[in-house]
Amino acid sequence: LACNESLPSPFSARVSLQLLADVAAEAQSRTDLTSVQIDALLQMPNGIAQQGFDQSVDGSASDAALDIIFAATVANIERTGVQSDAIICLAMEALTNWASACKRKVTLSKLYQMNRGSDTFLSVIVSFLSSSAQRRAFSSAMYAEMAVIKCCQSLTACVDNSGDYGTQLRTSAVASLLQSIRSLQFIHDPVNLAVSHGWEDALAALSTLASTLAREEVDEISTCRLEGSTDLIELLLLLQQHPQHNVATP
């Protein structure tokens, strides 16, 4: 599988990403395997045949999948049109499925570690949920809202995975998210955009992301030990005032 035009592949980017999303979803749906067995299956070395990604000797199926998803996302950031919009949304759906299936491996720390040039996978997702997202010309309002929802869902799934809890990498990743609330209007700008367009599903996804981040990092945020903690608390209070019950945080 490959999502980069410079690499030979019998599949288009959309087909490759759909296959990746389906593999992880199918693994999760298996009732004849335990969660531990599913996790081990998706960590199988060289479990995904691919070229040009993840050349480390410890490379696993999930590593290869994340590399392909990351490459497809980066390749379509500056592009416009229905095809690119669809690929971005499908890439985020695939990431969500792999995070849900590989709770031990697909974590916030992993996104923070992965990079292409000066961009980390985490910073790329954050860019879709910040002030810069409004500068991207989506082909339709439907894809603009869908991109917000899919990015929220993928990031929420990775934040929710606690396999990296207590590590310095996770602390650094959380710190970068909190600092982005003020510096990049992370979550804030998409909330304003969703309110102005009446995107209730996007608002609910943004609220879930904010509350998951606060819940998983409650010790650091409640004591304001990390810069940006108060910004998240203020954001949660703002969302709590929303009349729709699945947007207002508990």
Side-chain angles (χ1 to χ4, degrees):
L1 299 178
C3 289
N4 188 321
E5 291 89 339
S6 65
L7 299 174
S9 172
F11 305 113
S12 68
R14 289 185 70 169
V15 171
S16 296
L17 289 168
Q18 188 65 66
L19 284 171
L20 285 177
D22 290 347
V23 164
E26 176 63 23
Q28 280 185 281
S29 69
R30 293 286 296 270
T31 57
D32 58 326
L33 298 175
T34 66
S35 58
V36 174
Q37 289 173 318
I38 291 172
D39 186 85
L41 179 66
L42 295 177
Q43 299 307 324
M44 182 174 56
N46 302 316
I48 294 179
Q50 43 85 46
Q51 179 181 358
F53 301 97
D54 192 52
Q55 299 300 318
S56 68
V57 294
D58 297 325
S60 65
S62 65
D63 290 326
L66 290 183
D67 280 334
I68 293 171
I69 294 166
F70 188 15
T73 305
V74 170
N76 286 275
I77 289 177
E78 302 298 332
R79 298 176 183 173
T80 58
V82 174
Q83 180 78 357
S84 291
D85 293 349
I87 288 174
I88 289 170
C89 292
L90 191 51
M92 292 299 100
E93 180 181 337
L95 175 57
T96 301
N97 289 356
W98 279 85
S100 299
C102 299
K103 295 184 179 297
R104 189 170 48 86
K105 191 73 178 284
V106 185
T107 62
L108 201 55
S109 295
K110 183 69 175 178
L111 299 185
Y112 188 69
Q113 279 182 297
M114 296 177 66
N115 66 81
R116 287 181 172 269
S118 60
D119 295 321
T120 67
F121 202 171
L122 182 60
S123 69
V124 167
I125 298 174
V126 167
S127 72
F128 283 110
L129 298 173
S130 64
S131 54
S132 61
Q134 296 191 43
R135 296 195 292 271
R136 191 180 194 280
F138 283 95
S139 59
S140 67
M142 179 196 74
Y143 272 118
E145 180 182 15
M146 188 183 299
V148 171
I149 294 171
K150 296 295 185 181
C151 286
C152 282
Q153 290 173 339
S154 63
L155 191 50
T156 298
C158 292
V159 170
D160 199 40
N161 287 350
S162 56
D164 59 343
Y165 192 76
T167 65
Q168 185 55 51
L169 269 175
R170 183 178 177 96
T171 300
S172 298
V174 170
S176 73
L177 290 178
L178 294 176
Q179 291 165 17
S180 295
I181 296 175
R182 181 171 298 184
S183 63
L184 301 175
Q185 293 298 295
F186 172 57
I187 302 181
H188 252 301
D189 265 20
V191 164
N192 293 334
L193 185 66
V195 168
S196 65
H197 287 80
W199 295 345
E200 297 297 335
D201 289 342
L203 273 172
L206 287 160
S207 177
T208 299
L209 171 58
S211 59
T212 301
L213 179 58
R215 185 186 71 244
E216 291 300 314
E217 305 299 329
V218 63
D219 291 340
E220 288 78 8
I221 292 170
S222 62
T223 55
C224 296
R225 283 187 291 202
L226 293 176
E227 182 183 352
S229 296
T230 55
D231 296 321
L232 179 59
I233 293 170
E234 290 173 2
L235 180 58
L236 290 168
L237 291 173
L238 174 67
L239 289 166
Q240 197 171 40
Q241 299 171 22
H242 196 277
Q244 187 170 318
H245 74 279
N246 62 336
V247 173
T249 52

